[in-house]
Amino acid sequence: ELDKLGGAAWQARKARVKQRIRDITQHLLKVAAQRAIRESDPLTAPAGTFDEFCARFPYAETEDQQRAIDEVLTDMAAGKPMDRLVCGDVGFGKTEVALRAAFVAAMSGKQVAVVTPTTLLCRQHFKTFTDRFRGFPVTVRQLSRLVTTKDANQIKADLKEGKVDIIIGTHALLSKSIAFADLGLVIVDEEQHFGVSQKERLKELRGDIHVLTLTATPIPRTLQLALTGIREMSLITTAPVDRLAVRTFVLPFDPVVIREAVLREQFRGGQIFYVCPRIEDLDQVAERIRKLVPEVKIVTAHGQMPAAALEKAMTAFYDRSYDLLLATNIIESGLDIPSANTMIIHRADILGLSQLYQLRGRIGRSKLRGYCYLTTPPGKALTQTAEKRLEVMQTLDQLGAGFTLASHDLDIRGAGNLLGEEQSGQVREVGVELYQHLLEEAVAEARGEVRDAQKQEWAPQINLGTAVLIPEAYVSDLSVRLGLYRRVAGLENDQEAEAFAAEMIDRFGPLPNEVENLLRIVAVKRLCRTAGIERIEAGPKGAVLSFRGNRFARPEKLIDFISRRSEIISVRPDHKLVYRQDWLDADARVSGVRKLMDKLAEMAA
């Protein structure tokens, strides 16, 4: 519902959202402050053994990866509970950051819990951790449905007695029946899969434990917390050496293209993922693949299979006994099979943005180019959001786009409430930009920081009877236009305005009158703030100016100024300043008001 500019309804809506944000912020900061006040044991690695552990990493660390590792280790040694988000793209080496943090905690005598969203990722991490910690005095165990009940009970007992140093598990680790002897670090992998209550449960485990969260596509709410500075964030944006971006194609299902894609991958000695979102469609899709490519060996995997059958299927695919794995999006989280470099997604229109992105991240993890085919039902119209998602997937095909994608997701879905289970949020009421701005202000206020932005919050109203806009004919793309308006609003001085105008001419051609007027009026607006002018109304015969709070900063200078120009300037009984001048056209009017405002701003300053 649109509000009138300058009307009371918009101010009321803004005030309402602001109050709610203040409440949320107070609560969040209280939680953050309690963690900051709490002490925790500083965890540091024994120098020699840590270097030996790091040397087992078979790749060269990228600069960003090394920085993320250093930041995590600094946090752990600081004696305060860590709450850090490591946001790195799929296949950019987040697991190595987790491994080193786990090593430091385990060698300092603390227990480590690694929480994963799926049994397959749990199985893979267990294998990775076991291999890397071989030869060190560290016991690694896994808890998921791939473990028998008898073994699970034994592991729980050992955890309680402190006989297990690192436990890797699914949501089962968050159940009330699990007790730790001395938990020091919780690592949450693929954070976007966990619900709010599960994350709150993690924090409840103990107030002084270190929490490390890993994600490629943070959900809007997590991204929001990081962007507003409530959580620490490390970004890994550099791709590993020799990594190639995955080629992405969005197309209606075409048997010829699919057959060619499968055979091409087989001929270059690789394996294929075929993702089908719904379990009930698996048999039908399997039948179709067998008819299309009878020469390819197929194995199926999904979350409702018995644990032993799932384990057997995945191991066989790992060992390359099969060419094609037909699976639901159970394979989306963190799986690392470098030999699989082609992926076909059936009904890509029903999957979410970060799901599609995570799935695509399963391929192209070696030095070979990966190919991803997002198929849609032929002849069926897609919903607007599905179209938008697929479009974003196709445009973000460069390496390291996970963070950009999360920002797109924030725009498409909104951020949700930062606290608890109420996910509706207030973003829809005022838009992401203003919400973000209000939130930053509230965080600063709650921290006791005084911000210039708050002093600048009031906006002068200027009506010079002239068109001020960026015409559609000049910049046709709506999102680009909005971005330009945002930049215009942030111009601080005349030099910035000139640079902006030069850039506009360079990108879109000569400036239309409306854009020139816009830049000049933004300059007048800046001067109004300096001079404390709340409103300007101008017409062909002159202008009327209203002072903010009916006061001027330097009244003696204003009186002198008026007395010297009494024939053209006077003050009305309602304290408004009247400036009489004949302006032949809008251009002369804008220039005249600008000159007057220059003088008033100079006097006020």
Side-chain angles (χ1 to χ4, degrees):
E1 191 184 327
L2 290 176
D3 293 314
K4 267 181 73 175
L5 260 181
W10 170 247
Q11 296 302 335
R13 182 186 296 232
K14 222 164 84 172
R16 199 165 59 240
V17 171
K18 209 168 179 181
Q19 189 48 51
R20 270 183 276 172
I21 289 175
R22 255 196 210 116
D23 298 343
I24 288 174
T25 314
Q26 290 294 349
H27 188 98
L28 272 174
L29 282 163
K30 202 164 135 201
V31 173
Q34 282 168 352
R35 282 182 71 85
I37 294 163
R38 283 204 174 105
E39 298 290 313
S40 76
D41 302 333
L43 306 181
T44 48
T49 48
F50 184 64
D51 295 340
E52 185 191 329
F53 182 79
C54 296
R56 294 185 176 188
F57 184 47
Y59 310 99
E61 295 90 349
T62 62
E63 200 178 312
D64 290 350
Q65 191 183 19
Q66 189 58 58
R67 192 185 312 116
I69 291 167
D70 294 342
E71 286 170 349
V72 168
L73 298 187
T74 307
D75 282 359
M76 289 172 73
K80 293 216 177 318
M82 164 175 78
D83 188 4
R84 185 169 284 277
L85 169 72
V86 174
C87 182
D89 217 335
V90 278
F92 274 30
K94 298 185 294 295
T95 308
E96 184 60 24
V97 180
L99 278 161
R100 296 192 187 182
F103 180 83
V104 170
M107 295 304 274
S108 304
K110 294 283 183 186
Q111 289 178 306
V112 180
V114 183
V115 190
T116 67
T118 65
T119 44
L120 291 186
L121 183 56
C122 177
R123 170 184 182 277
Q124 179 179 295
H125 275 336
F126 178 60
K127 191 170 171 293
T128 309
F129 273 71
T130 310
D131 290 348
R132 282 296 292 278
F133 280 93
R134 194 164 280 124
F136 289 102
V138 173
T139 314
V140 184
R141 292 282 179 268
Q142 72 166 328
L143 253 189
S144 73
R145 68 187 191 87
L146 298 176
V147 179
T148 62
T149 314
K150 183 186 168 193
D151 288 348
N153 290 335
Q154 184 57 51
I155 290 167
K156 285 179 189 176
D158 290 348
L159 256 182
K160 200 170 181 179
E161 289 170 32
K163 292 179 186 169
V164 174
D165 301 301
I166 298 176
I167 181 76
I168 299 162
T170 50
H171 300 64
L173 278 186
L174 303 177
S175 76
K176 297 272 197 282
S177 64
I178 303 272
F180 294 89
D182 186 9
L183 181 62
L185 171 68
V186 172
I187 297 168
V188 185
D189 198 8
E190 301 290 345
E191 159 281 340
Q192 70 277 11
H193 288 286
F194 293 93
V196 181
S197 51
Q198 288 156 341
K199 289 177 194 160
E200 299 302 318
R201 165 85 182 113
L202 281 172
K203 283 191 184 142
E204 281 167 22
L205 281 172
R206 258 187 42 205
D208 55 358
I209 49 171
H210 299 288
V211 180
L212 176 63
T213 311
L214 312 175
T215 178
T217 49
I219 58 165
R221 186 166 163 272
T222 306
L223 183 60
Q224 183 88 348
L225 285 169
L227 291 178
T228 46
I230 290 166
R231 294 181 71 165
E232 299 299 321
M233 176 161 73
S234 301
L235 282 176
I236 304 180
T237 53
T238 317
V241 186
D242 296 335
R243 178 66 56 87
L244 297 169
V246 174
R247 289 266 182 273
T248 306
F249 308 96
V250 177
L251 69 162
F253 182 85
D254 182 342
V256 180
V257 176
I258 301 304
R259 175 175 164 80
E260 195 186 307
V262 170
L263 292 179
R264 192 195 312 114
E265 187 58 56
Q266 198 190 19
F267 289 150
R268 66 171 183 173
Q271 292 172 289
I272 303 102
F273 287 123
Y274 200 117
V275 180
C276 173
R278 294 191 175 127
I279 293 178
E280 59 261 32
D281 298 340
L282 281 172
D283 293 340
Q284 187 188 340
V285 172
E287 193 52 45
R288 189 189 276 177
I289 300 171
R290 284 194 188 94
K291 281 182 185 161
L292 258 182
V293 271
E295 53 270 66
V296 167
K297 283 188 272 181
I298 300 172
V299 64
T300 305
H302 60 81
Q304 290 180 10
M305 286 167 77
L310 181 62
E311 172 87 18
K312 190 178 167 193
M314 288 310 294
T315 306
F317 189 68
Y318 266 113
D319 297 342
R320 308 193 63 163
S321 309
Y322 293 96
D323 306 307
L324 186 145
L325 174 68
L326 173 63
T328 54
N329 48 328
I330 185 176
I331 62 162
E332 150 193 352
S333 299
L335 277 201
D336 191 10
I337 304 178
S339 57
N341 284 303
T342 289
M343 172 174 284
I344 297 150
I345 301 181
H346 177 70
R347 288 297 309 270
D349 55 309
I350 60 177
L351 289 167
L353 192 50
S354 77
Q355 283 179 314
L356 288 169
Y357 191 76
Q358 287 282 0
L359 282 165
R360 187 175 72 183
R362 297 311 111 225
I363 57 171
R365 297 174 77 93
S366 62
K367 294 178 184 183
L368 284 175
R369 169 82 71 192
Y371 295 94
C372 180
Y373 299 84
L374 306 175
T375 70
T376 58
K380 184 171 179 275
L382 303 181
T383 65
Q384 205 177 345
T385 43
E387 237 169 74
K388 212 185 253 183
R389 285 197 297 264
L390 295 173
E391 196 183 308
V392 168
M393 282 299 293
Q394 203 162 9
T395 44
L396 295 183
D397 61 352
Q398 72 276 30
L399 287 168
F403 193 72
T404 321
L405 174 121
S407 320
H408 274 289
D409 211 8
L410 185 69
D411 285 341
I412 293 172
R413 295 198 308 181
N417 191 332
L418 298 190
L419 278 187
E421 315 230 351
E422 184 199 316
Q423 286 285 314
S424 59
Q426 292 89 41
V427 178
R428 239 187 234 139
E429 292 235 352
V430 291
V432 173
E433 285 293 318
L434 181 59
Y435 182 78
Q436 195 70 40
H437 174 73
L438 293 175
L439 187 60
E440 279 172 18
E441 262 183 25
V443 170
E445 195 183 309
R447 284 182 172 161
E449 297 167 15
V450 179
R451 290 173 62 118
D452 295 338
Q454 278 175 303
K455 298 175 205 162
Q456 296 278 313
E457 200 192 54
W458 65 280
Q461 291 188 5
I462 301 167
N463 181 10
L464 306 187
T466 177
V468 283
L469 74 156
I470 300 172
E472 204 172 325
Y474 184 55
V475 180
S476 55
D477 187 298
L478 175 65
S479 57
V480 173
R481 257 198 334 276
L482 288 174
L484 292 170
Y485 278 126
R486 202 175 301 139
R487 285 179 56 195
V488 167
L491 295 174
E492 298 273 323
N493 50 46
D494 289 348
Q495 289 82 355
E496 282 186 19
E498 278 169 30
F500 179 78
E503 184 195 323
M504 293 278 280
I505 293 165
D506 190 34
R507 285 172 69 183
F508 309 107
L511 293 181
N513 284 343
E514 297 95 329
V515 178
E516 284 188 3
N517 286 341
L518 174 66
L519 292 172
R520 286 153 80 189
I521 283 185
V522 165
V524 168
K525 202 170 186 177
R526 281 200 303 275
L527 295 167
C528 283
R529 281 212 172 106
T530 310
I533 303 289
E534 196 163 48
R535 191 182 185 95
I536 301 180
E537 293 277 353
K541 297 283 181 195
V544 178
L545 285 71
S546 309
F547 294 105
R548 190 160 187 243
N550 288 336
R551 289 175 61 235
F552 186 70
R554 312 284 287 277
E556 68 287 354
K557 289 202 168 188
L558 184 64
I559 292 164
D560 180 47
F561 178 66
I562 294 169
S563 59
R564 281 190 284 118
R565 292 174 176 74
S566 56
E567 71 286 355
I568 57 167
I569 299 180
S570 60
V571 178
R572 294 198 322 211
D574 60 0
H575 301 289
K576 286 184 179 169
L577 193 74
V578 179
Y579 181 72
R580 287 176 290 279
Q581 185 80 42
D582 286 336
W583 286 312
L584 299 173
D585 55 27
D587 202 38
R589 197 153 57 237
V590 176
S591 301
V593 170
R594 168 76 202 247
K595 278 182 192 157
L596 174 64
M597 285 313 307
D598 272 331
K599 195 74 197 152
L600 288 171
E602 192 185 315
M603 287 192 298

